[in-house]
Amino acid sequence: MSTPIRLGTRRSALAQAQSGHVAAALEKVTGRAVELVPITSEGDTNRASLSEIGGLGVFATRLREALLAGRCDFLVHSLKDLPTAVPEGLVIAATPRREDARDVVLTRHGAPLHELGSGSTVGTGSPRRIAQVRRRAPQAEVVDIRGNVDSRLARVASGELDAVILAAAGLSRLGTDSPLKREELGLAEWPTAPGQGSLAVETRADAPEELREALSALDDHDTRLAVTVERAILEGLDAGCQAPMAAHARVEGAEIRIRTVVYAPDGGRRIGLDVTEALNGEYIHRNGSGNGADAADGAGPMHAARELGLAVARRLLDQGAADLVPREHPDFS
């Protein structure tokens, strides 16, 4: 009997659920068992605000250390929590098909977010969502919260909060069935974090070829194209994954459409771009399939997608985005 493939995962219910989906898919591909290896990340033990912790991989660093140390064979991350720089010795082997990338507002009585008035409380720990709430519901009070999905929903159900904002994909993966009322926020007016709704399957660069080939079978090409563009925008802005910015790209037929916005932390100002690029144009689909390819390979469609994202970031910076987002690598000179 073959040895199980070891999947490193955070201990949270959501992480275990999304890792379980990937494990089941890999078992179908390989015919081998996949066992979950729970790992505690800094983000699971540090209860400080996400805006205070920063975006330097608080949910990924411990997992990556375990992978490099040989304690597991591959990892599954929420892509929106993953820093844009991939450590030496590791590769993103697959990005499975993206689920719903939207945010969802959950309330007791179904009042839409924009109707929440003075005295209303909206819970979220994301600087991007905080800025968006301050634009959509300027009279409401934003409460900086942490905790798992169930604890956040409970704070609304109990009346402690009037609303919370969560990722639609997380609710779907958990199979959450809540009596709270849902308001899905459209991506045109409420774009979400780079990579939201997507998973990243990561392994060592020197992993057995058999494993890397099996993992690449889980890759969805259109998802990888889109998230490569989104994350390159974040990279080009030199901002962390908790920056008050949004980027969403989607493949539509022969085009890729990009919506990106950078917000002032107080929501008072924003800089946005809408870009459409032909997939058979200069940037995308020049060479190769891109299946399982690293976005930094230097050739092929994923390299081209990254270049497109960096070009969009430069346009944002030219319009003043650097004045709105905290830099991941501040200049101390």
Side-chain angles (χ1 to χ4, degrees):
M1 185 175 179
S2 58
T3 304
I5 304 171
R6 300 165 300 164
L7 193 172
T9 178
R10 290 172 55 206
R11 296 176 181 271
S12 73
L14 177 55
Q16 298 269 318
Q18 61 195 25
S19 292
H21 289 309
V22 173
L26 187 61
E27 286 177 341
K28 288 183 180 180
V29 171
T30 64
R32 293 173 60 186
V34 177
E35 67 175 15
L36 301 187
V37 179
I39 299 165
T40 301
S41 74
E42 180 186 352
D44 297 316
T45 58
N46 189 333
R47 306 315 299 170
S49 164
L50 287 178
S51 59
E52 295 175 4
I53 296 173
L56 289 171
V58 294
F59 296 114
T61 300
R62 297 291 181 267
L63 278 74
R64 285 170 155 175
E65 289 172 352
L67 179 59
L68 288 168
R71 290 168 49 201
C72 54
D73 300 307
F74 73 105
L75 305 170
V76 172
H77 305 279
S78 290
L79 191 57
K80 70 182 179 66
D81 296 327
L82 204 59
T84 55
V86 179
E88 184 177 355
L90 299 181
V91 294
I92 304 299
T95 52
R97 184 177 181 84
R98 171 149 50 188
E99 291 202 28
D100 192 339
R102 293 175 297 176
D103 276 344
V104 176
V105 181
L106 294 111
T107 61
R108 288 185 304 284
H109 306 302
L113 181 61
H114 71 273
E115 291 184 5
L116 295 181
S118 179
S120 299
T121 52
V122 181
T124 177
S126 157
R128 185 260 309 168
R129 289 173 178 153
I130 290 170
Q132 290 174 314
V133 170
R134 287 172 173 162
R135 292 187 65 85
R136 182 72 66 93
Q139 297 183 67
E141 176 190 355
V142 181
V143 179
D144 194 345
I145 62 171
R146 293 284 308 276
N148 60 36
V149 169
D150 286 342
S151 69
R152 298 185 193 203
L153 296 177
R155 294 177 72 171
V156 177
S158 69
E160 180 183 350
L161 297 171
D162 293 298
V164 292
I165 303 176
L166 299 171
L171 294 170
S172 175
R173 290 181 180 124
L174 282 170
T176 301
D177 184 16
S178 170
L180 297 177
K181 308 301 183 183
R182 294 171 57 121
E183 177 192 1
E184 281 86 8
L185 300 171
L187 290 165
E189 288 302 316
W190 189 284
T192 51
Q196 182 157 316
S198 301
L199 301 177
V201 179
E202 189 171 46
T203 191
R204 293 185 301 277
D206 63 356
E209 183 177 353
E210 178 184 8
L211 175 61
R212 290 194 60 182
E213 288 184 356
L215 293 175
S216 71
L218 307 181
D219 195 66
D220 181 77
H221 186 252
D222 286 355
T223 295
R224 184 179 279 262
L225 273 175
V227 300
T228 297
V229 170
E230 294 165 15
R231 284 166 58 76
I233 296 171
L234 181 64
E235 177 189 354
L237 291 173
D238 193 22
C241 15
Q242 290 301 321
M245 63 82 63
H248 180 72
R250 66 187 186 277
V251 174
E252 291 188 356
E255 296 179 330
I256 186 164
R257 297 179 180 271
I258 306 158
R259 170 68 168 154
T260 183
V261 183
V262 177
Y263 300 90
D266 64 1
R269 182 182 171 208
R270 67 176 180 177
I271 297 171
L273 285 174
D274 291 285
V275 176
T276 299
E277 179 73 26
L279 287 176
N280 60 355
E282 176 184 357
Y283 281 108
I284 312 295
H285 278 192
R286 292 183 298 186
N287 298 288
S289 69
N291 225 19
D294 191 332
D297 277 346
M302 299 309 153
H303 171 76
R306 178 172 176 269
E307 290 299 309
L308 173 57
L310 293 174
V312 171
R314 287 192 292 271
R315 290 177 59 185
L316 289 168
L317 292 171
D318 288 344
Q319 294 185 27
D323 297 331
L324 303 185
V325 297
R327 311 292 280 183
E328 188 80 292
H329 303 96
D331 183 1
F332 296 108
S333 58

